[in-house]
Amino acid sequence: MPENTMENASCVLVKGGTVCNADRTFEADVLIEDGIISQIGSDLNAPDGAKVVDAAGKLVIPGGIDTHTHLNAHSDDANFANMAVVDDFFVGTKAALAGGTTMILDHCVPGRGQSMLEKYEIWRNTADEMVCCDYSLHVAVTWWGDKTKEEIATLCSEKGVNSFKMYMAYKDSIMVTDDVMYKAFNCIKENGALAMVHAENGDVIECNCKKLLNSGVTGPEGHLMSRPEEVEAEATGRAIMIANQTNCPLYVVHVMSKSAADVVASARKQGKVIFGEPIAAGLGSDGSHYFNKEWRHAAGHVMSPPLRPDNETPAYLMDMLANNSLQATGSDNCTFTIEQKAVGKDDFTKIPNGTNGLEDRMSVIWEKGVHSGKMDPCRFVAVTSTNAAKIFNFYPKKGVIQVGADADIVVWDAEATRTISKDTHHQAVDFNIFEGMECHGVPLVTISRGKVVWENGELNVTKGSGKYIYNPVHAPEAYARIAQRDKVNQPVKVDREPYTGQVWPAGGDNKNAAEPSKKAEQAKSPPAAGFKAPAPSSGLPESRPQTKRGHRDLHASSFSLSGQQTDDADGHRNAYKVVAPPGGRSSIQF
Ligand code: URQ
Ligand code: ZN
C-alpha cells in the first residue's frame, strides 16, 4: 500500500493552550515540525523561524473529522436529476477548514452495473486535484455482480478503502435488497472491513410517495410524510440483524430519529458490534421546516432520512451521542442550490436530497452538546474526531494530539460566539439550514498537516494540498471482538452413531421416495452458524405434559408465547398447529 508522503511544512508552536483529547485535558505547548507533532510540554521554545500561535485561555483540540460527505455527488449516483452538488471537493474542504474540520470521509457511489474500482479512480482523480484537507473514501455497493467480491478485496488490499456503504432506500436506483446486503456483509467481513448502511425501507417509501402524490400532496412536507420514523427504525433493525447473522461490524449512517437511535442503542446493549452516526442537521435542526409556507425554505431542508417533525428529537440524539449510544458525527453535506432543488417544485420526489453541515458541524455540536451541558469537552473531541479515527482505523495518526500524530489541530474558543448564515458561510450553497443560530464555540485557528490554514477569519489554502489517507482493514475498534467471536462461535456438530433403522418407505418403490432420503440427508448436515442445539427431546407424544402417574396432564399446556412448537426440530413439518392449546383443542390447522 502506498505511503502517505508529508509536505515539508514549516515549524509552528502552539503556545499556552489547554490540550484537550478524548481522554483528558492538560496545559501544554505543542510543537509542530514537518506536518507532525514533534513535542508536547511546558514552556517549549520556538525554533528559529517558527510561527507562534497564541492559544492562551483556549482549547487546543484534534481537528474535526467529518465521517460523511458527498462532495462529488452527481446525477448518476442517486436520484439527482442530472446535476452535481455545488459544494465540491475544493469549496467543501475550504469551508470544512474554516469550521475546524481537517479531514473528511467522502462517498464514492458507483451506479448499478458500474465498476467500483473504476468509480474509485474517478473519485481519487477528482479529489486529489481539489482537496484542501486530508480525506478518505467510503465506497458504495449498489449492485452485486461477478466481479464485486474481487473488487471489494482489491479496494481493501490496495486502495485504502475499509468501509462499504449500502443504501436500503432509493428503489430502482442504488437501493440493494437483503440478499445483496447478506452477500456484501459476508464479503466485507472476510476482508476485515466495515459495512455501512443508509437505513430506510425503500419499498415502503416508494408506495407512500405514490399514495401521497395521488392524494395531491406534492410539496416538501410529502417528503417527510413518505418516510416516517418507523420506516427508518425497521431498516435499521433489519441491517443490524443481517450484520449479526454474518458477524460483520456495522456503522449506521445518519441516525435521524429517536426510534432508530433506540434500535442502535439496544443492539449495542446486547453486545453487537454496531456504531451509530448522527449528523449535524439532525442534532441542530428539526422537521417542522417541511411545513413552512415558503416552498424554497421547506425544500432547502429536504434530505433522507428526513429531519423529524417534533422538536425533541435533536436533544434526544445529542443525549445518545453524549452517553455513547451513538459514536461519531458527520454532516452528510450534499448541497444543491434552491434553483436545483426547484426541479421538484411540483413533485417532492424530484427534489434532490441533501443539506449543508460541513462547515458548521463542530460549532453546532459544541452549542447543542457542550454549551447545553450534555457533554464535556473531552466527549466533544471523541464524537467529532477521535471515535471516527478509531472506527475507520487511522488512529492515532489523527484524532489525538500526541507526539507523532499528524498536525491537524484547532485552537478552539469555547466562550466566543458566532451566528451562522448563508451570507457569511464559506460554502457555495445559497441556503443554510442553521440560518440565524448563535453558537458558542468558535474555531480561531485551524492547522492542517502543520500549516496554518485558517486564522483571523481568513483562509490560506492550496487547492490539491490535502492527501488521501489509506485506511487499513481490521480496525481494532471492531475486529478485536469480531475475530474472537469467529473463533468461539464456530458451529459444532453433534457426534452420534449413524441411524441404522428403517427409512420410509420401508419397502422401497414409492413415488415420493425422494422425500425421505432428502430428510435423512438433512439429518446428517451440521447445524447452521450460530445455531444452538436444543436439549435432546423425546419427540412429540412424550414431550406432552404428563402427571406423576404418567397420564397426560390436561391442566398443563405445551403452548409457548415464543411460538415454539414441540415439533420445531422436525425440519419436514409443513403444517402448523398448536399442540394442546390452553382452553382446549381446536380443529383448525394452518
Ligand atoms: O442519502 C444520501 O446520503 C444522499 C444521496 C443525500 N443525502 C441525504 O439526503 N441525506
Ligand atoms: Zn449521505
Side-chain angles (χ1 to χ4, degrees), residues 169-183:
Y170 304 120
K171 187 171 161 75
D172 298 329
S173 165
I174 51 176
M175 178 175 116
V176 289
T177 48
D178 292 358
D179 61 324
V180 171
M181 279 172 61
Y182 191 96
K183 284 184 211 146

Side-chain angles (χ1 to χ4, degrees), residues 47-62:
D48 285 348
K51 179 179 171 64
V52 178
V53 172
D54 178 13
K58 310 289 183 291
L59 292 175
V60 179
I61 60 175

Side-chain angles (χ1 to χ4, degrees), residues 377-442:
C378 289
R379 181 67 190 165
F380 172 78
V381 168
V383 302
T384 56
S385 182
T386 315
N387 290 355
K390 289 182 176 172
I391 293 167
F392 296 103
N393 210 13
F394 46 86
Y395 182 89
K397 178 179 177 59
K398 296 189 188 284
V400 63
I401 295 183
Q402 70 177 35
V403 172
D406 283 0
D408 286 356
I409 293 177
V410 175
V411 178
W412 189 262
D413 189 338
E415 305 306 324
T417 59
R418 73 181 183 97
T419 302
I420 298 176
S421 173
K422 69 173 173 33
D423 300 325
T424 48
H425 70 201
H426 297 79
Q427 301 200 205
V429 66
D430 55 357
F431 188 79
N432 192 314
I433 57 166
F434 308 114
E435 188 70 35
M437 184 190 292
E438 188 183 67
C439 291
H440 293 80
V442 172

Side-chain angles (χ1 to χ4, degrees), residues 68 70 78 80 165 167 170 198 254 303-304 332 334 353-354:
H68 189 154
H70 300 269
F80 303 149
K165 163 109 162 256
Y167 289 86
Y170 304 120
H198 170 136
H254 47 41
M303 64 187 311
S304 298
D332 196 5
C334 183
N353 283 204

Side-chain angles (χ1 to χ4, degrees), residues 183-261:
K183 284 184 211 146
F185 282 26
N186 260 325
C187 176
I188 289 164
K189 189 284 191 67
E190 271 167 28
N191 285 282
L194 180 66
M196 303 167 73
V197 283
H198 170 136
E200 284 186 296
N201 186 317
D203 286 317
V204 170
I205 290 167
E206 178 91 347
C207 297
N208 285 348
C209 286
K210 285 190 185 132
K211 196 160 86 180
L212 283 156
L213 289 171
N214 283 338
S215 72
V217 178
T218 57
E221 68 282 7
H223 179 75
L224 169 66
M225 292 169 185
S226 68
R227 319 168 93 103
E229 259 195 68
E230 62 187 6
V231 167
E232 183 189 354
E234 180 277 331
T236 306
R238 186 154 37 96
I240 290 171
M241 174 274 290
I242 297 173
N244 197 44
Q245 290 301 305
T246 50
N247 195 25
C248 178
L250 178 68
Y251 182 94
V252 183
V253 307
H254 47 41
V255 176
M256 296 296 279
S257 62
K258 292 194 245 184
S259 40

